[in-house]
Amino acid sequence: NGAYEIIECQNCVIKMQADVIYELFGILAQHVDPDELDSLPPVKKINAAAEIRDKIRILYKEQDGLYHQEYRYPPETILSHTFFRQNPEEFYRFYRAKMLAPHAKPNAAHKKLAQWEKEGKLKAVITQNIDGLHQAAGSKEVLELHGSVHRNYCTKCKKFFPLSYIVESKGIPTCDECGAIIKPDVVLYEEGLDQSILTRSINHIAK
């Protein structure tokens, strides 16, 4: 009906509707010159996502992809609630190696979205990314459907721990007050989405 544009590719769906961008896997015009973004129509702003389709395949299928690493279990198993409970040490070995990038910096797409928000052209970024790069770029209204690696909580006393605590700890990170295991505030397989974040996201998209 012309209200929004949807671009689909393998493991990628990006939707632009009014002043809200819904982004999966952070794939948003990463190969477009940021200076050209403002002059492009919405479909062009997100069409570059299709260009990294092959990179997604490489990530999972090549020799150095996630499925060919030295782990006894596939990523979908390791990144599940059950596995976290039953095999926390192996979970964290994979999690630190494959899910954390503490030195990553926002790219041109992150910065452009933050600029649009500051200019009043964008009201929210709804993302499955867990890396916090949208906030690092300056975006204020970021709805993280899958949580964030920057938030970690004790499973018993609920004390908060920053990303640095997980990165610097060895083996299974435990609470420095009660000794219980710490869990990242990210949505694992078998877990549901935060309903408050989901509701806010739907409300943004519906406007």
Side-chain angles (χ1 to χ4, degrees):
N1 58 10
Y4 56 82
E5 299 283 354
I6 297 179
I7 299 298
E8 297 188 17
C9 63
Q10 183 175 331
N11 292 332
C12 164
V13 178
I14 299 177
K15 176 176 179 179
M16 173 177 281
Q17 178 178 355
D19 51 9
V20 176
I21 288 179
Y22 178 65
E23 176 196 10
L24 300 189
F25 297 105
I27 305 168
L28 174 65
Q30 293 188 26
H31 303 289
V32 175
D33 185 334
D35 293 332
E36 298 177 358
L37 284 175
D38 287 321
S39 62
L40 297 176
V43 67
K44 290 296 185 180
K45 289 176 183 175
I46 59 180
N47 196 38
E51 295 181 14
I52 76 163
R53 178 174 49 198
D54 291 336
K55 292 186 179 180
I56 296 173
R57 293 195 185 104
I58 290 172
L59 176 65
Y60 286 97
K61 295 183 179 180
E62 280 196 351
Q63 276 194 333
D64 60 349
L66 289 181
Y67 285 101
H68 293 273
Q69 298 293 335
E70 295 298 321
Y71 297 95
R72 295 174 56 194
Y73 307 91
E76 297 93 334
T77 298
I78 298 175
L79 295 174
S80 68
H81 181 83
T82 297
F83 194 91
F84 171 79
R85 293 295 185 184
Q86 296 178 349
N87 302 276
E89 186 167 5
E90 182 68 1
F91 170 89
Y92 270 109
R93 187 169 79 91
F94 180 91
Y95 182 77
R96 288 191 184 94
K98 298 300 178 184
M99 304 302 292
L100 300 183
H103 302 298
K105 302 296 182 183
N107 61 27
H110 296 110
K111 295 174 182 178
K112 180 57 68 171
L113 292 180
Q115 177 188 325
W116 283 343
E117 183 180 16
K118 186 175 181 180
E119 295 172 349
K121 299 176 181 178
L122 182 71
K123 297 299 183 183
V125 175
I126 303 167
T127 180
Q128 287 190 359
N129 288 350
I130 60 175
D131 52 27
L133 292 180
H134 285 295
Q135 292 92 330
S139 291
K140 304 300 182 184
E141 182 68 358
V142 181
L143 303 177
E144 299 167 309
L145 297 177
H146 283 179
S148 173
V149 298
H150 293 276
R151 298 189 299 268
N152 305 274
Y153 296 95
C154 173
T155 54
K156 184 177 181 180
C157 71
K158 308 306 180 185
K159 180 179 178 179
F160 167 83
F161 293 89
L163 174 59
S164 59
Y165 191 88
I166 304 300
V167 173
E168 296 167 7
S169 62
K170 304 296 182 182
I172 304 171
T174 56
C175 179
D176 57 6
E177 290 194 0
C178 72
I181 186 173
I182 296 170
K183 182 182 181 297
D185 186 20
V186 298
V187 179
L188 303 176
Y189 288 99
E190 304 171 346
E191 297 179 343
L193 300 180
D194 184 315
Q195 289 302 303
S196 63
I197 298 296
L198 189 58
T199 298
R200 287 171 58 199
S201 300
I202 291 172
N203 289 339
H204 271 298
I205 294 173
K207 291 179 181 178

